mmCIF file of all heavy atoms in Angstrom:
data_model
loop_
_atom_site.group_PDB
_atom_site.id
_atom_site.type_symbol
_atom_site.label_atom_id
_atom_site.label_comp_id
_atom_site.label_asym_id
_atom_site.label_seq_id
_atom_site.Cartn_x
_atom_site.Cartn_y
_atom_site.Cartn_z
ATOM 1 N N PHE A 30 -11.912 -9.982 -3.228
ATOM 2 C CA PHE A 30 -12.074 -9.785 -1.789
ATOM 3 C C PHE A 30 -10.932 -10.434 -1.012
ATOM 4 O O PHE A 30 -10.421 -9.864 -0.048
ATOM 5 C CB PHE A 30 -13.427 -10.334 -1.328
ATOM 6 C CG PHE A 30 -14.590 -9.617 -1.956
ATOM 7 C CD1 PHE A 30 -15.292 -10.201 -2.991
ATOM 8 C CD2 PHE A 30 -14.958 -8.357 -1.524
ATOM 9 C CE1 PHE A 30 -16.355 -9.546 -3.574
ATOM 10 C CE2 PHE A 30 -16.019 -7.690 -2.105
ATOM 11 C CZ PHE A 30 -16.723 -8.281 -3.136
ATOM 12 N N MET A 33 -7.861 -8.273 -1.534
ATOM 13 C CA MET A 33 -7.944 -7.047 -0.738
ATOM 14 C C MET A 33 -7.620 -7.328 0.731
ATOM 15 O O MET A 33 -6.825 -6.612 1.359
ATOM 16 C CB MET A 33 -9.342 -6.442 -0.863
ATOM 17 C CG MET A 33 -9.539 -5.173 -0.085
ATOM 18 S SD MET A 33 -11.141 -4.398 -0.379
ATOM 19 C CE MET A 33 -12.282 -5.717 -0.010
ATOM 20 N N ILE A 54 -11.099 -3.335 18.150
ATOM 21 C CA ILE A 54 -10.505 -3.799 16.896
ATOM 22 C C ILE A 54 -9.297 -2.919 16.617
ATOM 23 O O ILE A 54 -9.372 -1.696 16.666
ATOM 24 C CB ILE A 54 -11.516 -3.701 15.729
ATOM 25 C CG1 ILE A 54 -12.726 -4.596 16.003
ATOM 26 C CG2 ILE A 54 -10.855 -4.076 14.417
ATOM 27 C CD1 ILE A 54 -13.860 -4.409 15.031
ATOM 28 N N LEU A 104 -25.026 5.705 6.251
ATOM 29 C CA LEU A 104 -24.466 4.550 6.961
ATOM 30 C C LEU A 104 -24.719 4.653 8.464
ATOM 31 O O LEU A 104 -25.054 3.663 9.114
ATOM 32 C CB LEU A 104 -22.973 4.419 6.670
ATOM 33 C CG LEU A 104 -22.591 4.085 5.231
ATOM 34 C CD1 LEU A 104 -21.088 4.174 5.048
ATOM 35 C CD2 LEU A 104 -23.104 2.720 4.826
ATOM 36 N N THR A 107 -28.229 3.670 9.897
ATOM 37 C CA THR A 107 -28.577 2.261 10.070
ATOM 38 C C THR A 107 -28.469 1.822 11.528
ATOM 39 O O THR A 107 -29.015 0.799 11.901
ATOM 40 C CB THR A 107 -27.659 1.355 9.231
ATOM 41 O OG1 THR A 107 -26.318 1.463 9.720
ATOM 42 C CG2 THR A 107 -27.728 1.706 7.757
ATOM 43 N N HIS A 109 -25.747 0.826 12.816
ATOM 44 C CA HIS A 109 -24.562 -0.037 12.864
ATOM 45 C C HIS A 109 -23.597 0.434 11.776
ATOM 46 O O HIS A 109 -23.435 -0.232 10.749
ATOM 47 C CB HIS A 109 -24.934 -1.499 12.639
ATOM 48 C CG HIS A 109 -25.874 -2.034 13.665
ATOM 49 N ND1 HIS A 109 -25.459 -2.413 14.919
ATOM 50 C CD2 HIS A 109 -27.211 -2.235 13.635
ATOM 51 C CE1 HIS A 109 -26.491 -2.828 15.614
ATOM 52 N NE2 HIS A 109 -27.569 -2.728 14.856
ATOM 53 N N TYR A 110 -22.963 1.577 12.010
ATOM 54 C CA TYR A 110 -22.129 2.228 11.000
ATOM 55 C C TYR A 110 -21.050 1.300 10.454
ATOM 56 O O TYR A 110 -20.881 1.180 9.243
ATOM 57 C CB TYR A 110 -21.497 3.494 11.583
ATOM 58 C CG TYR A 110 -20.512 4.172 10.661
ATOM 59 C CD1 TYR A 110 -20.957 4.940 9.599
ATOM 60 C CD2 TYR A 110 -19.141 4.033 10.844
ATOM 61 C CE1 TYR A 110 -20.073 5.563 8.743
ATOM 62 C CE2 TYR A 110 -18.250 4.645 10.000
ATOM 63 C CZ TYR A 110 -18.716 5.418 8.953
ATOM 64 O OH TYR A 110 -17.840 6.028 8.113
ATOM 65 N N MET A 111 -20.316 0.637 11.328
ATOM 66 C CA MET A 111 -19.205 -0.210 10.867
ATOM 67 C C MET A 111 -19.705 -1.377 10.018
ATOM 68 O O MET A 111 -19.143 -1.667 8.963
ATOM 69 C CB MET A 111 -18.391 -0.728 12.062
ATOM 70 C CG MET A 111 -17.577 0.355 12.731
ATOM 71 S SD MET A 111 -16.780 -0.164 14.275
ATOM 72 C CE MET A 111 -15.784 -1.521 13.755
ATOM 73 N N LEU A 112 -20.753 -2.033 10.452
ATOM 74 C CA LEU A 112 -21.311 -3.155 9.700
ATOM 75 C C LEU A 112 -21.893 -2.689 8.366
ATOM 76 O O LEU A 112 -21.671 -3.320 7.328
ATOM 77 C CB LEU A 112 -22.378 -3.868 10.534
ATOM 78 C CG LEU A 112 -23.022 -5.089 9.898
ATOM 79 C CD1 LEU A 112 -21.967 -6.165 9.628
ATOM 80 C CD2 LEU A 112 -24.127 -5.625 10.796
ATOM 81 N N ALA A 113 -22.614 -1.571 8.384
ATOM 82 C CA ALA A 113 -23.192 -1.023 7.157
ATOM 83 C C ALA A 113 -22.090 -0.644 6.176
ATOM 84 O O ALA A 113 -22.217 -0.867 4.966
ATOM 85 C CB ALA A 113 -24.065 0.186 7.475
ATOM 86 N N ASN A 114 -21.000 -0.086 6.679
ATOM 87 C CA ASN A 114 -19.858 0.284 5.843
ATOM 88 C C ASN A 114 -19.305 -0.941 5.130
ATOM 89 O O ASN A 114 -19.072 -0.915 3.921
ATOM 90 C CB ASN A 114 -18.787 0.923 6.731
ATOM 91 C CG ASN A 114 -17.797 1.739 5.961
ATOM 92 O OD1 ASN A 114 -17.541 1.492 4.797
ATOM 93 N ND2 ASN A 114 -17.228 2.727 6.623
ATOM 94 N N ILE A 115 -19.140 -2.027 5.859
ATOM 95 C CA ILE A 115 -18.608 -3.260 5.265
ATOM 96 C C ILE A 115 -19.594 -3.846 4.257
ATOM 97 O O ILE A 115 -19.213 -4.208 3.144
ATOM 98 C CB ILE A 115 -18.253 -4.282 6.368
ATOM 99 C CG1 ILE A 115 -17.065 -3.780 7.171
ATOM 100 C CG2 ILE A 115 -17.964 -5.652 5.771
ATOM 101 C CD1 ILE A 115 -16.784 -4.539 8.437
ATOM 102 N N ILE A 116 -20.859 -3.923 4.641
ATOM 103 C CA ILE A 116 -21.856 -4.529 3.746
ATOM 104 C C ILE A 116 -22.004 -3.727 2.455
ATOM 105 O O ILE A 116 -21.969 -4.290 1.360
ATOM 106 C CB ILE A 116 -23.214 -4.681 4.463
ATOM 107 C CG1 ILE A 116 -23.111 -5.765 5.538
ATOM 108 C CG2 ILE A 116 -24.320 -5.013 3.463
ATOM 109 C CD1 ILE A 116 -24.309 -5.848 6.454
ATOM 110 N N PHE A 117 -22.176 -2.417 2.568
ATOM 111 C CA PHE A 117 -22.464 -1.606 1.387
ATOM 112 C C PHE A 117 -21.213 -1.241 0.583
ATOM 113 O O PHE A 117 -21.191 -1.398 -0.633
ATOM 114 C CB PHE A 117 -23.225 -0.338 1.774
ATOM 115 C CG PHE A 117 -24.627 -0.615 2.211
ATOM 116 C CD1 PHE A 117 -24.992 -0.477 3.538
ATOM 117 C CD2 PHE A 117 -25.590 -1.047 1.314
ATOM 118 C CE1 PHE A 117 -26.281 -0.748 3.952
ATOM 119 C CE2 PHE A 117 -26.874 -1.323 1.714
ATOM 120 C CZ PHE A 117 -27.232 -1.173 3.045
ATOM 121 N N LEU A 118 -20.178 -0.742 1.258
ATOM 122 C CA LEU A 118 -19.016 -0.221 0.536
ATOM 123 C C LEU A 118 -17.958 -1.268 0.230
ATOM 124 O O LEU A 118 -17.178 -1.097 -0.705
ATOM 125 C CB LEU A 118 -18.391 0.948 1.307
ATOM 126 C CG LEU A 118 -19.318 2.151 1.518
ATOM 127 C CD1 LEU A 118 -18.608 3.234 2.306
ATOM 128 C CD2 LEU A 118 -19.837 2.687 0.200
ATOM 129 N N VAL A 119 -17.918 -2.335 0.992
ATOM 130 C CA VAL A 119 -16.895 -3.354 0.764
ATOM 131 C C VAL A 119 -17.447 -4.550 -0.012
ATOM 132 O O VAL A 119 -16.734 -5.159 -0.800
ATOM 133 C CB VAL A 119 -16.274 -3.826 2.104
ATOM 134 C CG1 VAL A 119 -15.280 -4.936 1.904
ATOM 135 C CG2 VAL A 119 -15.632 -2.650 2.830
ATOM 136 N N ILE A 120 -18.726 -4.861 0.183
ATOM 137 C CA ILE A 120 -19.287 -6.045 -0.480
ATOM 138 C C ILE A 120 -20.255 -5.670 -1.604
ATOM 139 O O ILE A 120 -20.022 -6.003 -2.770
ATOM 140 C CB ILE A 120 -19.969 -6.971 0.551
ATOM 141 C CG1 ILE A 120 -18.935 -7.480 1.560
ATOM 142 C CG2 ILE A 120 -20.661 -8.133 -0.150
ATOM 143 C CD1 ILE A 120 -19.500 -8.231 2.734
ATOM 144 N N LEU A 121 -21.359 -4.991 -1.285
ATOM 145 C CA LEU A 121 -22.404 -4.748 -2.287
ATOM 146 C C LEU A 121 -21.968 -3.828 -3.428
ATOM 147 O O LEU A 121 -22.211 -4.130 -4.599
ATOM 148 C CB LEU A 121 -23.662 -4.203 -1.616
ATOM 149 C CG LEU A 121 -24.417 -5.188 -0.739
ATOM 150 C CD1 LEU A 121 -25.636 -4.523 -0.121
ATOM 151 C CD2 LEU A 121 -24.831 -6.412 -1.526
ATOM 152 N N PHE A 122 -21.357 -2.705 -3.110
ATOM 153 C CA PHE A 122 -20.944 -1.764 -4.157
ATOM 154 C C PHE A 122 -19.957 -2.400 -5.144
ATOM 155 O O PHE A 122 -20.153 -2.308 -6.357
ATOM 156 C CB PHE A 122 -20.379 -0.487 -3.528
ATOM 157 C CG PHE A 122 -20.105 0.608 -4.508
ATOM 158 C CD1 PHE A 122 -21.135 1.247 -5.165
ATOM 159 C CD2 PHE A 122 -18.804 0.989 -4.780
ATOM 160 C CE1 PHE A 122 -20.884 2.266 -6.079
ATOM 161 C CE2 PHE A 122 -18.538 1.989 -5.690
ATOM 162 C CZ PHE A 122 -19.582 2.636 -6.341
ATOM 163 N N PRO A 123 -18.906 -3.083 -4.671
ATOM 164 C CA PRO A 123 -18.025 -3.770 -5.629
ATOM 165 C C PRO A 123 -18.742 -4.861 -6.427
ATOM 166 O O PRO A 123 -18.444 -5.054 -7.602
ATOM 167 C CB PRO A 123 -16.922 -4.372 -4.752
ATOM 168 C CG PRO A 123 -16.890 -3.502 -3.550
ATOM 169 C CD PRO A 123 -18.304 -3.088 -3.324
ATOM 170 N N LEU A 124 -19.698 -5.568 -5.811
ATOM 171 C CA LEU A 124 -20.453 -6.581 -6.549
ATOM 172 C C LEU A 124 -21.286 -5.951 -7.667
ATOM 173 O O LEU A 124 -21.372 -6.509 -8.765
ATOM 174 C CB LEU A 124 -21.351 -7.383 -5.616
ATOM 175 C CG LEU A 124 -20.667 -8.464 -4.796
ATOM 176 C CD1 LEU A 124 -21.648 -9.106 -3.820
ATOM 177 C CD2 LEU A 124 -20.027 -9.515 -5.679
#
Side-chain angles (χ1 to χ4, degrees):
F30 297 103
M33 180 174 55
I54 298 171
L104 294 172
T107 65
H109 299 282
Y110 175 77
M111 289 172 58
L112 182 61
N114 199 333
I115 292 168
I116 290 171
F117 290 109
L118 299 179
V119 176
I120 297 172
L121 291 179
F122 188 68
L124 282 175

